[in-house]
Amino acid sequence: QVQLVASGGGSVESGDSLTLHCVASSNQFSWYLMGWFRQAPGKEREGVAAISAAGRMTYADSVKGRFTISQDNPKNTLYLQMNNLNPDDTAMYYCASTSAIRPGLTLDPGRFGLWSQGTQVTVSS
């Protein structure tokens, strides 16, 4: 059973940067999309960024220009570089994957079936 392990969260100040990591326990799983999601207290889980196996990417409007998703296939690792963080970015962050090709590049959490545990990001003003 493949597992995803997320790490890299922390407590930072506005304007700081963090890089989240998501490592798959096996390179023997196939995926079409991998993504980063977040959930703040009292709010629904939302998609932050996703990347397809072909390298296409999509971002939530709230993080465009500040966050960058990338992958290192030989290391079975997904990254989320987060720059210029602000308090609105405070949330528990998760990575997830799906092998479903349809509906294509998406940030809909309901389309992803394999999830990591969360890593907390807290940004103070």
Side-chain angles (χ1 to χ4, degrees):
Q1 182 76 14
V2 177
Q3 291 183 324
L4 300 178
V5 179
S7 63
S11 295
V12 298
E13 297 183 348
S14 289
D16 285 350
S17 298
L18 278 175
T19 301
L20 303 183
H21 300 73
C22 174
V23 180
S25 61
S26 169
N27 60 2
Q28 299 300 318
F29 84 107
S30 62
W31 57 273
Y32 174 67
L33 290 180
M34 292 196 74
W36 287 99
F37 301 81
R38 66 187 182 186
Q39 188 166 19
K43 294 187 177 181
E44 293 186 353
R45 190 169 298 189
E46 64 175 355
V48 174
I51 186 168
S52 73
R56 294 174 60 217
M57 293 167 278
T58 188
Y59 295 92
D61 288 343
S62 59
V63 307
K64 282 180 181 177
R66 299 188 299 122
F67 290 12
T68 303
I69 189 171
S70 62
Q71 57 175 315
D72 186 336
N73 283 334
K75 294 184 178 179
N76 300 324
T77 303
L78 181 74
Y79 302 96
L80 185 68
Q81 174 67 41
M82 305 185 293
N83 296 328
N84 195 21
L85 287 160
N86 62 64
D88 289 338
D89 297 316
T90 295
M92 188 73 76
Y93 283 71
Y94 304 84
C95 65
S97 71
T98 179
S99 59
I101 296 176
R102 295 180 184 274
L105 203 55
T106 180
L107 291 175
D108 179 1
R111 297 294 183 179
F112 291 75
L114 181 63
W115 290 84
S116 72
Q117 90 297 352
T119 184
Q120 178 68 37
V121 173
T122 302
V123 186
S124 58
S125 57

